[in-house]
Amino acid sequence: MTRVAIIGAGPSGLAQLRAFQSAGKKGAAIPELVCFEKQSDWGGLWNYTWRTGVDEFGEPVHGSMYRYLWSNGPKECLEFADYSFEEHFGRPIPSYPPRAVLHDYIMGRVEKSDVRKFVRFSTVVRWIDFDEKTQLFTVTVKDLKKDELYSETFDYVVVASGHFSTPNVPHFPGIEVFPGRVLHAHDFRDANEFVGKNLLVVGSSYSAEDIASQCYKYGAKSITFSYRSKPLNFDWPECFTVKPLLTKLTGKTAHFKDGSEAVVDAVLLCTGYLHHFPFLADNLRLRTNNRLYPAGLYKGIFWQDNPKLIYLGMQDQYFTFNMFDAQAWYARDVILGRIKLPPAAERQADIDHWRAIEEKLETAFDGIDFQTEYMRDLIPATDYPMFDLDKVAALFKEWEEDKVKSIMGYRDNSYVSIMTGNKAPPHHTKWMEALDDSFDAFQNRPEAAAE
Amino acid sequence: MTRVAIIGAGPSGLAQLRAFQSAGKKGAAIPELVCFEKQSDWGGLWNYTWRTGVDEFGEPVHGSMYRYLWSNGPKECLEFADYSFEEHFGRPIPSYPPRAVLHDYIMGRVEKSDVRKFVRFSTVVRWIDFDEKTQLFTVTVKDLKKDELYSETFDYVVVASGHFSTPNVPHFPGIEVFPGRVLHAHDFRDANEFVGKNLLVVGSSYSAEDIASQCYKYGAKSITFSYRSKPLNFDWPECFTVKPLLTKLTGKTAHFKDGSEAVVDAVLLCTGYLHHFPFLADNLRLRTNNRLYPAGLYKGIFWQDNPKLIYLGMQDQYFTFNMFDAQAWYARDVILGRIKLPPAAERQADIDHWRAIEEKLETAFDGIDFQTEYMRDLIPATDYPMFDLDKVAALFKEWEEDKVKSIMGYRDNSYVSIMTGNKAPPHHTKWMEALDDSFDAFQNRPEAAAE
């Protein structure tokens, strides 16, 4: 029987399990599935942990999730095409839910799907190699609870271990003697630590934007952003300052490229993540920066040199959950023989075609359109429900504009679900005032929660 | 030619290099040595890094060293028998040097020994296994800078990767929603972060004692210790409280086993370290807690099931640098064929003999005497210079008593070098007032440093 190893039970790995379960329900014979998950529960990044550094078994902590995180994009953009928010919650909910609510939604679909039996929890993948003779992968894992290694062979390997877990941490002169806390976004957990503090936030991507906003919301005294190439051009509150690149630190003073200075109490490095696969032999290992079309992956999924090796969700992302679905359904159909992969040269030409376009992208809107076309390329090849991709693209653009209008207020907007056509209700509390991010506080009106 | 792989270029790995270099200088033919070091420089824990969590290559950070650390035991107890402090510094120095000074001393010996050529820096060991047929170890490493894996075979493997790098981090109910910083001692770097804060320090070993003392010295508002089995019975300053085990946290309130409470701003888990060897096959991997005689190691060094696998420094330690030397010299002489290992049964009887004694140890003084006997067992078998072990044991006991007399003042004492017979001068500044821990500040009188 064909055996498929899935590395990771986060959104991508779960999409793969769900894809097979969906085919099975419709009568297909599905392969033997084994999903290896390092954490003790599924959910990947959405499975919040208080731990930082290494976990209770000495393995690097997967989670980069922090407390009080709310979706930073409309939930209407990430809705599963086969399982709407309305189906899960029984009614429309606001457009920007907090972590616990999104977690509940992602988990809801798989819990109903009876796929938990395929997951081996607290099991970390140590090593994968491929035997040309047998055409099989040997996957060596460690059962962390039993403290034992073992190996099994598989016909396919699906790498769904994510790429927001291994921080990219640059050095700045003087950071080694900065008299206060220095941390990467990966280790950020609770904004309360920074109440009344002057924070230096290095970076200008989503982590910088969101962590700075959150620290402001919970009471940081000031935020100084430092950017390398592109400032975070939003209408920030008065206690925010935007500076060019940090050149050095002397004591608590940060020095910037334009000669200006700021005295800060803590340094938050929101400097991105590395694609990190310490368990893969060099000839199987994806090496890429975070971009919309990593090289070497046919359809953004299949390792060109050995397409039995499958990568999910390794792209920079506008689309998220439903893109992992589109990829997982496609990968499933290749494994099931429903889609026949073209020969290597043809695959390479397809990769080159997409890369040539990707390399010419300039604006965020270009990127949104590109990933929308990528979705349009994948979905019709499988039975994953097609949905109005142009509407999603338009919504991404509306969201970008809403952020420009009000970076602290954009989460108070509501949008129409592309899947159900129903408009989200406004949340009962403005985001800036919603300090309780719990499932119950979000789902109930405040007075109901207090009863 | 015989090939020896040494894992780690910290105090133990460097002792092994030095042992071979010393034999070579005296005319012995020495095997081919390859020392793999994950960090970009040697020194192990003594090589301070500002990084926490994972390093710039995504590998778990080795260092647990923090800023402003001063030796917590007399330097006279850890002095190399073949390279005194006086030889290195040209004159006697005070008994409790700060990190930079100890680092300079350790490095001084190996820098003079021309052993750097044996070390491959920025190279992490991914996997080691042993082939029964060829009787060789295959060591697979990653060159972190080149981002490439490669394998080589060796006759012997010396594991000198330490056991104070992988934190043991227990969970306490409520810690996952504690509104402030939670960290393990492994991630502690700069006490300035905790100025004016109320700290909960969980644990009662050296890390707890020293980090708490240091935070007090630099301005923490209060320290609350929590112990599982044995309180830190010292004459603590007034802002210290000693509590039994933490049972839970509710908000910022810590609850203890005796029903008492304390409101705290940060939680420091000084809860020890794990022996962690993710690069070793199960049949080669030492599994032990931190104790004076780990099971399965003949002479505390040789893996009983395969004595070509050598472990250095895996014991709980009173003796440190000179014990690593004693072990490394012994291991060297076994590899050189100067010492012939007895058959397995005889080795096992020896292990059992030591373990039986170790299991009956009760007090710290018992432990000191035990490790002194262990040293006395090792040193005469090699040409490592014997020194007056009883005097070292007596000094350890004096040190324990000095700590009881004054936990904040014991570092102001001076002792006589066992190697040179000269007494250490007092330091120019009391430890509690010595906020500058730099090499220059320590070596010069304050007025000289200010000139």
Side-chain angles (χ1 to χ4, degrees), chain B residues 28-43:
Chain B
I30 66 167
E32 192 179 336
L33 306 171
V34 181
C35 178
F36 299 106
E37 171 54 53
K38 185 163 82 168
Q39 302 184 87
S40 61
D41 203 354
W42 56 15

Side-chain angles (χ1 to χ4, degrees), chain A residues 48 50-54 56-60 67 126-127 142 147-149 166-167 169-171 175-182 187 190 192-193 269 274 276 278 280-282 285 287, chain B residues 48 50-54 56-60 67 126-127 142 147-149 166-167 169-171 175-182 187 190 192-193 269 274 276 278 280-282 285 287:
Chain A
Y48 174 80
W50 61 281
R51 294 178 183 275
T52 56
V54 296
E56 63 269 48
F57 302 108
E59 303 297 321
R67 296 187 68 197
R126 273 276 179 274
W127 193 247
K142 181 168 175 180
D147 193 19
E148 280 176 11
L149 284 162
T166 304
V169 190
H171 174 260
I175 203 167
E176 63 280 4
V177 290
F178 178 79
R181 187 163 185 210
V182 175
D187 294 331
D190 193 315
N192 282 302
E193 185 190 331
L269 300 170
L274 302 171
H276 189 62
L280 282 171
D282 280 354
R285 182 161 56 92
R287 303 182 200 198
Chain B
Y48 173 79
W50 61 280
R51 295 177 183 276
T52 55
V54 296
E56 63 270 47
F57 302 108
E59 302 298 320
R67 295 188 68 197
R126 274 276 179 273
W127 192 247
K142 181 171 176 178
D147 194 19
E148 281 175 13
L149 284 161
T166 304
V169 191
H171 173 259
I175 203 167
E176 64 280 4
V177 290
F178 177 77
R181 188 164 185 208
V182 175
D187 294 331
D190 195 315
N192 283 302
E193 185 190 332
L269 300 170
L274 303 170
H276 188 62
L280 282 171
D282 279 354
R285 181 161 56 92
R287 305 182 198 198

Side-chain angles (χ1 to χ4, degrees), chain A residues 233-249:
Chain A
N233 273 331
F234 294 111
D235 189 16
W236 296 108
E238 246 182 56
C239 65
F240 282 63
T241 316
V242 180
K243 299 278 193 185
L245 193 60
L246 179 68
T247 54
K248 64 175 177 181
L249 293 151

Side-chain angles (χ1 to χ4, degrees), chain A residues 3 30 61 86 97 116 118 140 151 158 161 170 178 182 207 222 226 239 248 281 302 345 347 367 369 387 417 420 442:
Chain A
R3 301 191 83 221
I30 66 168
V61 165
E86 212 170 314
R116 202 173 171 96
F118 299 123
T140 300
S151 299
V158 178
S161 53
F178 178 79
V182 175
S207 293
S222 76
S226 162
C239 65
K248 64 175 177 181
F302 303 92
R347 297 200 305 270
D369 289 337
F387 53 97
S417 165
T420 67
F442 181 79

Side-chain angles (χ1 to χ4, degrees), chain B residues 18 78-90 102-113 321 325 329 384-385 417 419-420:
Chain B
R18 163 70 171 172
L78 54 80
E79 195 162 20
F80 297 124
D82 68 340
Y83 188 72
S84 69
F85 279 93
E86 212 170 314
E87 179 180 347
H88 180 71
F89 290 105
L102 276 176
H103 182 257
D104 195 72
Y105 170 63
I106 313 167
M107 296 305 109
R109 181 172 72 151
V110 284
E111 270 156 24
K112 287 185 187 165
S113 304
F321 301 157
D325 275 4
W329 257 252
Y384 190 71
S417 165
M419 308 305 169
T420 67

